[in-house]
Amino acid sequence: MNQKYQTSESALSPSGRFGRLSYLGWNMLMSFSILIIIGIIATFSPDLFTNPSALTGSSMVAAILIGIAYIALLYFSFVFTIRRLHDRNHIGWLSLLILVPGINILFVLYLIFAKGDDRSNQYGPRRITKGWEKILGWIYVLIFPIGILSAIALPAYQDYVTRAQQAEMEKSIHHVD
């Protein structure tokens, strides 16, 4: 077995390293998992999302499950960030930067674009990125910009439609006079 690559560690442990595509792939897997969990919860307790002030027994359980999912999301976000920092030969404590507004965006961009060490470092040997991690990582790379563009474009389009409808209504009111 080639000692250059570490293959037996758990990806869910903060020890070890993640290359860029492994980091993105595991984040994409986590995002899919959270979406599925929230979808299941929304299916069985739709009033949690439509009328959160009227908590019933089932929606209380759903709210607790969402809280647990959020804690798991936060934990694994830190684990994946620590592993990515280790790939850059940085200490895991820098992962706390994801909690600082504004800096967190620049920090995540750094983690995505900065190349890791090609050789072993103090956190172990380079880890081979698995095939499925590469696929999910590239899906993340493709979906993320589309999501950002949608978050910008859809509200702008909705605002345009609203203003056009108002202008049309004003035009028809003035036309009647």
Side-chain angles (χ1 to χ4, degrees):
M1 184 167 139
N2 189 348
Q3 294 297 330
K4 184 177 178 184
Y5 300 108
Q6 184 176 355
T7 58
S8 63
E9 91 286 348
S10 169
L12 303 178
S13 164
S15 61
R17 298 170 53 178
F18 264 173
R20 291 178 281 194
L21 283 176
S22 292
Y23 173 71
L24 292 173
W26 278 95
N27 275 298
M28 189 68 191
L29 180 63
M30 181 175 56
S31 299
F32 280 153
S33 301
I34 292 296
L35 285 174
I36 290 169
I37 290 168
I38 289 179
I40 291 169
I41 291 170
T43 301
F44 290 106
S45 186
D47 49 324
L48 176 67
F49 299 101
T50 58
N51 190 7
S53 62
L55 287 178
T56 63
S58 66
S59 59
M60 184 64 86
V61 170
I64 291 169
L65 290 174
I66 287 176
I68 292 169
Y70 179 75
I71 290 168
L73 173 80
L74 192 60
Y75 171 77
F76 287 117
S77 293
F78 275 106
V79 167
F80 302 154
T81 300
I82 289 168
R83 290 180 68 101
R84 183 69 189 114
L85 285 165
H86 287 174
D87 195 50
R88 296 276 310 137
N89 207 20
H90 298 307
I91 60 171
W93 286 104
L94 289 173
S95 66
L96 293 173
L97 290 173
I98 62 176
L99 299 174
V100 181
I103 292 175
N104 56 1
I105 295 169
L106 298 173
F107 180 63
V108 169
L109 289 173
Y110 168 75
L111 293 175
I112 291 170
F113 291 110
K115 189 174 178 349
D117 287 348
D118 287 334
R119 297 185 177 91
S120 290
N121 64 24
Q122 68 181 5
Y123 299 102
R126 193 177 116 220
R127 181 181 179 276
I128 296 173
T129 302
K130 297 178 174 100
W132 68 267
E133 292 173 340
K134 290 178 184 178
I135 292 169
L136 286 180
W138 280 109
I139 290 171
Y140 193 94
V141 167
L142 296 172
I143 288 177
F144 190 72
I146 292 170
I148 289 175
L149 289 174
S150 297
I152 294 169
L154 290 177
Y157 176 73
Q158 184 61 40
D159 183 52
Y160 165 76
V161 169
T162 302
R163 284 187 285 125
Q165 289 172 341
Q166 288 174 346
E168 193 65 32
M169 286 175 40
E170 288 175 10
K171 185 177 168 183
S172 66
I173 290 172
H174 292 303
H175 183 66
V176 173
D177 292 339

